[in-house]
Amino acid sequence: MPISLVPHIAIPDRVTQQPRDVERIRSDQWHLRYLKVDQAHRIARGEGVTVAVPDTGVDAHPDLRRNLLLGTDIIPGGSGNGQQDRNGHGTGMAGLIAAHGHPLNSGALGIAPNAKILPIMSSPANNLGDADDLALGIEFAISSGVDVISVSSGGSTSPRLTGAIRKALASNIVIVAGSGNIPLDRLVAYPAREPGVIAVGGIDQAGRHAAVSVTGTEVDVVAPAVDIYSTSIDGKYRKGTGTSDSTAIVAGAAALIRSKYPHLPASEVAHRLTATAIDKGPPGRDDEYGYGVIDLVAALTADVPPLGFGSATASAPTHTASTTAAAAEPAGDEASGATARGLATLGVIMAAGGVWALIARRRRRGDDPPPRISR
């Protein structure tokens, strides 16, 4: 951990710079085929959505530059607009979200290739940052009116960072964050453990839990996290393994949903991701897979009952210091506000003489526990 008042560290993926050429890189992106991205792109491609990436900055990679906005530098040493990256981490995350690639299926492709990226340099090249610097990046993203914030970092928090995360959630912004990587992390990192934030774990190419991915009660969904190819600095490509990568992929998925359903509240976006996730491991939610592997096509097309009557005008979630939220459903917890985790697919229907609960979630192997409302 860095020596600072409030340390915060970018989630350290295992990364190698790859001498891949433009024609080959697309075939290396196995996660696109696994998630059936081609089918999802017939429905939505991220139009009209802006995703903030507070990280090590974002280089104007040829596969990404058309979608790169002018951002900001929270820390010194950059270009002043977020478009410089001396590490490659931020550029890789941005590429997983919104790389547009080149014609004829060449170049890297993101999950939401028509979305815009707001680059924010909030971590130095050594990835050892400060919680308050991340907070300043989140605050800039809020003031810029973004739709999604992708946080591929985790660690300790500070009053300012906690306040910024909660303000973003109250501002109807979807926040996606990585659960963390073993062995550096043992518990789900902050801000992934904050209620309302979508906490993301990882799987490998066989769809199994990735050994690097931290487990815990806060994990909401999982996505590919092993040998993930994306853009890097100096026009190169990177291959990374870790929940940073799965986080950016889920942020791209959130951008697709916000593009297809522009009036859907942030809590309902998270709810769509968990309610349509493909169940893995033991029936129902578990600490390795959360509610399952994201299903892009189902998230864009399924008939998902809302979180509750009037959820479109629901207030910000009630927060506690040690938990996270993103739509969920496991058994045994009490009720809370309109958070993503913990509300499962509970739709409340008001009727004369009573309140009827409608529980509708894609299930597997007879999975039918009572709805979980809060952690």
Side-chain angles (χ1 to χ4, degrees), residues 33 67 106 117 144 215 218 341:
R33 297 182 294 277
N67 290 338
S106 63
I117 295 293
S144 299
T215 63
E218 299 92 349
R341 174 180 316 107

Side-chain angles (χ1 to χ4, degrees), residues 3-308:
I3 300 174
S4 63
L5 291 178
V6 187
H8 201 83
I9 184 168
I11 296 173
D13 293 351
R14 295 196 298 270
V15 176
T16 57
Q17 298 296 328
Q18 297 290 315
R20 293 296 197 267
D21 56 35
V22 172
E23 287 73 27
R24 180 177 174 182
I25 189 66
R26 188 75 59 89
S27 64
D28 289 328
Q29 292 187 290
W30 68 267
H31 67 280
L32 300 179
R33 297 182 294 277
Y34 186 92
L35 296 173
K36 301 179 180 178
V37 167
D38 58 338
Q39 295 181 34
H41 285 176
R42 296 174 198 149
I43 304 165
R45 294 175 62 88
E47 295 87 348
V49 175
T50 298
V51 183
V53 179
D55 210 292
T56 59
V58 179
D59 259 8
H61 192 284
D63 295 353
L64 179 63
R65 63 169 58 115
R66 291 203 308 267
N67 290 338
L68 196 57
L69 303 174
L70 295 177
T72 192
D73 294 346
I74 301 301
I75 61 174
S79 59
N81 59 12
Q83 293 190 13
Q84 182 171 322
D85 182 4
R86 296 176 179 172
N87 175 283
H89 190 271
T91 305
M93 300 309 102
L96 289 172
I97 297 166
H100 48 66
H102 297 282
L104 303 177
N105 292 323
S106 63
L109 186 67
I111 300 297
N114 289 359
K116 301 298 183 184
I117 295 293
L118 183 72
I120 302 170
M121 182 187 283
S122 57
S123 294
N126 63 6
N127 274 344
L128 301 180
D130 184 273
D132 281 353
D133 289 337
L134 178 59
L136 288 167
I138 299 294
E139 291 166 2
F140 178 80
I142 296 169
S143 66
S144 299
V146 303
D147 305 288
V148 179
I149 301 175
S150 182
V151 185
S152 288
S153 66
S156 300
T157 188
S158 69
R160 183 160 193 169
L161 178 56
T162 299
I165 293 292
R166 294 178 180 180
K167 182 178 179 181
L169 292 169
S171 300
N172 195 34
I173 297 172
V174 177
I175 306 180
V176 185
S179 64
N181 294 337
I182 295 170
L184 182 63
D185 301 302
R186 291 294 179 181
L187 301 175
V188 174
Y190 194 89
R193 65 175 179 263
E194 173 70 29
V197 174
I198 303 172
V200 182
I203 56 170
D204 61 19
Q205 293 192 38
R208 296 184 297 256
H209 172 257
V212 71
S213 180
V214 169
T215 63
T217 58
E218 299 92 349
V219 175
D220 295 305
V221 291
V222 292
V226 176
D227 294 339
I228 305 299
Y229 285 85
S230 185
T231 48
S232 187
I233 55 178
D234 301 324
K236 298 177 182 178
Y237 299 97
R238 72 192 292 276
K239 181 174 74 170
T241 291
T243 59
S244 285
D245 302 270
S246 54
T247 295
I249 288 170
V250 173
L256 292 182
I257 296 171
R258 299 221 91 167
S259 179
K260 174 73 184 302
Y261 304 101
H263 302 297
L264 203 63
S267 58
E268 298 282 359
V269 173
H271 173 54
R272 269 195 167 266
L273 285 169
T274 56
T276 59
I278 299 170
D279 191 11
K280 300 280 287 187
R285 196 212 158 272
D286 64 80
D287 289 355
E288 288 189 340
Y289 299 98
Y291 289 92
V293 182
I294 60 167
D295 185 333
L296 299 180
V297 176
L300 292 171
T301 61
D303 184 8
V304 178
L307 288 170

